Amino acid sequence: MSLACEAKQMLEDDGAFVDALLWETHARLAHFAETGEIASIDLGGLPMSGRDREALDSILGRGEVSAAVEVAGRSEVWETGFSSVWRVRHFGDGTIAADLIEITSCPSILAADRRDADNAARRLAEALEAKLGNAETLA
Amino acid sequence: MRHDETLAAEMQRRGVSRRAFLKYASYVASLMALPPSAAEALAEGLAAARRQSVIWLSFQECTGCTESITRSHSPTLENLMFDFISLDYHHTLMAVSGQAAEQARLEAMAANKGKYIVVVDGSVPTKDGGVYSTIAGISNLKMLEETLRDAFAVVAVGSCACFGGIPAAKPNPTGAVAISELAGGKPLINISGCPPIPEAMTGVLSYVLSFGKLPELDHLGRPKAFFGETIHDRCYRRPYYERGLFADGFDDHGARQGYCLYKLGCKGPVTYNACATLKWNGGVSFPIQSGHGCLGCSEPDFWDQGGFYRPLPTPLGAMGPALAGAAVAGAALGVGAALAARSHQKTYLAASEKEKD
Ligand code: SF4
């Protein structure tokens, strides 16, 4: 193999890297099953090509849950084919802003924060009062 | 602008949930290579913070730094930073001018005494009493001194503010100096680059806002999260460098094959910045990807280092085989590569110095 081909091969040869990531995921998943300790792996700083991501996601597959979150742009969250292993992908400006593997029962971006409930209760009351007001006006 | 309510309360008032903080914090943690577990602490810190008063001073500069931070962002995630700060003074961006603008600066200083952050782009001319650059009749020198007095910290953005940059290039007719020479002991962060990467600016401001302290800095006062590795450490052309495959011209066979640009003067091996990973224009590309070597714009005196197209003086292969494997792993590149590059940088600077003598 010529030097140029070898170097090109080095640029493209990415299978080992994805395998290492999957083994790390496995170790953390096993630990979560045993202790309940959640974990997350940030794919952002890793030198992953589009092909790497595809390879990773094709092995992890898709599980029972898929969700889209619309806050400050779009986020996509899905449980992989392996229970408790989630993929969380935040978009900004159309490109991936943060890309994570989360090992948890439910990624925190999906759960509503109780501290937002106060405001929600007030808004719901206002909506109901407005509805009541409309009904009275019509009557 | 209300500075009394928390950012969480302000966002809630606008119908935005706490998920926005969580998402933004994941983004910043990822940018700054913080452990993902830090994202929640970062989100809590941001939600509990008040709008950070920022006074932005533009001195001897080209406005490229302001362009970088304001134009490379979408009105979505990255732009949230502008909801977290109150830009109380920025003479290029603010609607008012003249006396009214200066009044806004003085009012923000009085209202946020000891708490505001001063961001500076541009160097400060010191020759002849600083007459070479004035704003509203006030010399940059005096304005900096006056504004820094009650500041919490100062962030120098761009190579002019960090190291003197182009105004300080030989023969430095105005006696331009870096902000560090005039900061008078105030906590200082240097975010160098010509211009600096916008994510580095927003990431650092978010960190300070959340945790109330400065991030870890390198020996030049730059946040290690963005300046901890060289361009060369993370360059995708690195396997070609390791194999000794170089472009000899901008239009030869090597250039078309995407070979390493070392012989065309690439300063990647001695330049600490995050262009190779964060890239520019929303992650589209960076100079080396576009076929041009790195100019080394985030390093001190980059303008006076003997020519952008002159190859670095250290013999090829000095960082060679030992790192070949690591180059593929990329992420695994760490201390070894950093040390090698650091020694490479020393040799380069020493050679440049010798040449000057
Ligand atoms: S010398 Fe420049 S082009 Fe070559 S690998 Fe290093 S940073 Fe990349």
Side-chain angles (χ1 to χ4, degrees), chain B residues 230-242 245-246 258-271 276 286 288-289 292-294 312 316 319 344:
Chain B
T230 64
I231 301 296
H232 188 69
D233 287 339
R234 291 300 195 99
C235 180
Y236 75 101
R237 296 192 189 220
R238 182 75 179 266
Y240 292 120
Y241 174 92
E242 303 296 347
L245 293 163
F246 302 99
Y259 290 174
C260 169
L261 302 167
Y262 184 97
K263 286 190 178 173
L264 295 174
C266 180
K267 306 295 183 288
V270 295
T271 304
F286 73 114
I288 291 168
Q289 195 174 333
H292 195 286
C294 163
L312 290 166
L316 298 179
M319 301 197 285
H344 196 85

Side-chain angles (χ1 to χ4, degrees), chain B:
Chain B
M1 192 69 65
R2 289 174 66 176
H3 287 218
D4 53 337
E5 63 181 356
T6 61
L7 292 176
E10 189 182 325
M11 296 296 270
Q12 202 179 56
R13 201 159 38 77
R14 289 160 45 186
V16 182
S17 78
R18 281 186 175 247
R19 286 194 187 96
F21 291 99
L22 211 51
K23 176 166 174 172
Y24 186 75
S26 291
Y27 163 64
V28 172
S30 180
L31 271 182
M32 299 192 69
L34 301 172
S37 55
E40 277 190 34
L42 195 74
E44 287 298 321
L46 273 177
R50 264 108 185 132
R51 262 191 189 249
Q52 173 67 53
S53 170
V54 172
I55 296 178
W56 185 305
L57 304 175
S58 297
F59 295 147
Q60 282 181 305
E61 48 82 40
C62 68
T63 312
C65 300
T66 295
E67 289 273 340
S68 177
I69 197 170
T70 53
R71 296 188 64 159
S72 314
H73 290 79
S74 66
T76 53
L77 180 63
E78 297 90 336
N79 224 28
L80 270 180
M81 186 62 222
F82 293 103
D83 289 320
F84 300 159
I85 63 169
S86 167
L87 194 51
D88 291 328
Y89 176 90
H90 186 309
H91 72 217
T92 312
L93 297 179
M94 64 202 306
V96 293
S97 59
Q99 208 45 49
E102 294 318 304
Q103 197 52 38
R105 178 173 61 89
L106 297 175
E107 278 170 16
M109 285 164 57
N112 303 290
K113 205 169 171 177
K115 289 189 272 188
Y116 60 88
I117 290 178
V118 178
V119 175
V120 187
D121 63 333
S123 58
V124 178
T126 55
K127 208 166 152 189
D128 302 326
V131 296
Y132 297 106
S133 179
T134 62
I135 297 162
I138 309 166
S139 74
N140 294 171
L141 200 57
K142 185 159 180 283
M143 187 178 280
L144 181 68
E145 186 194 290
E146 181 182 286
T147 315
L148 279 189
R149 206 170 298 139
D150 293 318
F152 158 63
V154 55
V155 182
V157 301
S159 292
C160 298
C162 295
F163 310 124
I166 294 166
K170 286 183 200 131
N172 191 0
T174 65
V177 300
I179 303 309
S180 56
E181 292 190 31
L182 305 167
K186 283 279 171 204
L188 167 80
I189 304 173
N190 279 331
I191 305 176
S192 59
C194 190
I197 294 181
E199 287 90 341
M201 294 188 260
T202 50
V204 164
L205 285 176
S206 308
Y207 186 97
V208 173
L209 190 49
S210 269
F211 296 125
K213 62 175 187 181
L214 272 46
E216 202 185 343
L217 305 174
D218 73 359
H219 68 296
L220 293 173
R222 301 178 296 192
K224 280 190 178 169
F226 300 101
F227 297 91
E229 290 176 305
T230 64
I231 301 296
H232 188 69
D233 287 339
R234 291 300 195 99
C235 180
Y236 75 101
R237 296 192 189 220
R238 182 75 179 266
Y240 292 120
Y241 174 92
E242 303 296 347
R243 294 281 179 286
L245 293 163
F246 302 99
D248 288 304
F250 285 105
D251 55 356
D252 70 353
H253 170 75
R256 280 191 291 274
Q257 291 298 310
Y259 290 174
C260 169
L261 302 167
Y262 184 97
K263 286 190 178 173
L264 295 174
C266 180
K267 306 295 183 288
V270 295
T271 304
Y272 288 78
N273 207 344
C275 307
T277 44
L278 293 178
K279 302 191 180 176
W280 286 86
N281 300 323
V284 169
S285 185
F286 73 114
I288 291 168
Q289 195 174 333
S290 305
H292 195 286
C294 163
L295 298 183
C297 76
S298 56
E299 294 300 320
D301 303 329
F302 79 100
W303 203 264
D304 286 326
Q305 296 298 341
F308 294 146
Y309 301 99
R310 197 187 68 169
L312 290 166
T314 305
L316 298 179
M319 301 197 285
L323 293 173
V328 193
L333 275 175
V335 186
L339 283 179
R342 197 67 91 187
S343 79
H344 196 85
Q345 184 179 41
K346 271 192 199 144
T347 319
Y348 171 50
L349 293 177
S352 299
E353 276 309 311
K354 218 168 166 190
E355 208 163 78
K356 281 181 216 163
D357 299 340

Side-chain angles (χ1 to χ4, degrees), chain A residues 3-8 10-11 13 17 38 40-47 69 71-75 90-95 97-100 102 108-113 115-119 122-123, chain B residues 12-13 15-20 22-23 26-27 29-31 33-34 36-37 40 44 72-78 80 234 236-240 242-243 245 259 277 282-283 324-325 327-331:
Chain A
L3 277 180
C5 288
E6 238 180 76
K8 207 160 182 210
M10 282 172 76
L11 288 171
D13 190 8
F17 186 67
I38 63 173
S40 87
I41 303 169
D42 177 13
L43 306 182
L46 305 178
V69 182
V71 62
R74 189 179 176 82
S75 295
H90 299 303
F91 290 91
D93 208 7
T95 55
D99 201 14
L100 303 145
E102 294 201 4
S108 44
I109 192 80
L110 288 182
D113 193 299
R115 289 167 291 186
D116 286 326
D118 211 26
N119 184 41
R122 200 172 46 248
R123 284 194 301 112
Chain B
Q12 202 179 56
R13 201 159 38 77
V16 182
S17 78
R18 281 186 175 247
R19 286 194 187 96
L22 211 51
K23 176 166 174 172
S26 291
Y27 163 64
S30 180
L31 271 182
L34 301 172
S37 55
E40 277 190 34
E44 287 298 321
S72 314
H73 290 79
S74 66
T76 53
L77 180 63
E78 297 90 336
L80 270 180
R234 291 300 195 99
Y236 75 101
R237 296 192 189 220
R238 182 75 179 266
Y240 292 120
E242 303 296 347
R243 294 281 179 286
L245 293 163
Y259 290 174
T277 44
V328 193

Side-chain angles (χ1 to χ4, degrees), chain A:
Chain A
M1 197 189 275
S2 74
L3 277 180
C5 288
E6 238 180 76
K8 207 160 182 210
Q9 187 66 41
M10 282 172 76
L11 288 171
E12 286 170 0
D13 190 8
D14 41 26
F17 186 67
V18 172
D19 284 356
L21 260 177
L22 287 165
W23 277 112
E24 184 180 351
T25 306
H26 169 263
R28 294 186 185 225
L29 178 61
H31 186 67
F32 174 68
E34 203 180 308
T35 65
E37 192 182 320
I38 63 173
S40 87
I41 303 169
D42 177 13
L43 306 182
L46 305 178
M48 292 182 79
S49 62
R51 265 182 37 184
D52 281 328
R53 275 178 221 273
E54 274 169 32
L56 178 78
D57 284 331
S58 96
I59 294 167
L60 289 177
R62 289 263 178 172
E64 294 164 351
V65 186
S66 289
V69 182
E70 295 292 343
V71 62
R74 189 179 176 82
S75 295
E76 289 169 6
V77 182
W78 67 95
E79 192 178 27
T80 69
F82 303 91
S83 176
S84 307
V85 178
W86 298 78
R87 292 282 284 111
V88 178
R89 188 171 278 173
H90 299 303
F91 290 91
D93 208 7
T95 55
I96 298 173
D99 201 14
L100 303 145
I101 298 174
E102 294 201 4
I103 292 120
T104 177
S105 304
C106 179
S108 44
I109 192 80
L110 288 182
D113 193 299
R114 216 176 120 198
R115 289 167 291 186
D116 286 326
D118 211 26
N119 184 41
R122 200 172 46 248
R123 284 194 301 112
L124 183 56
E126 279 165 14
L128 290 173
E129 275 157 25
K131 186 168 177 275
L132 198 68
N134 283 345
E136 275 168 8
T137 316
L138 284 176

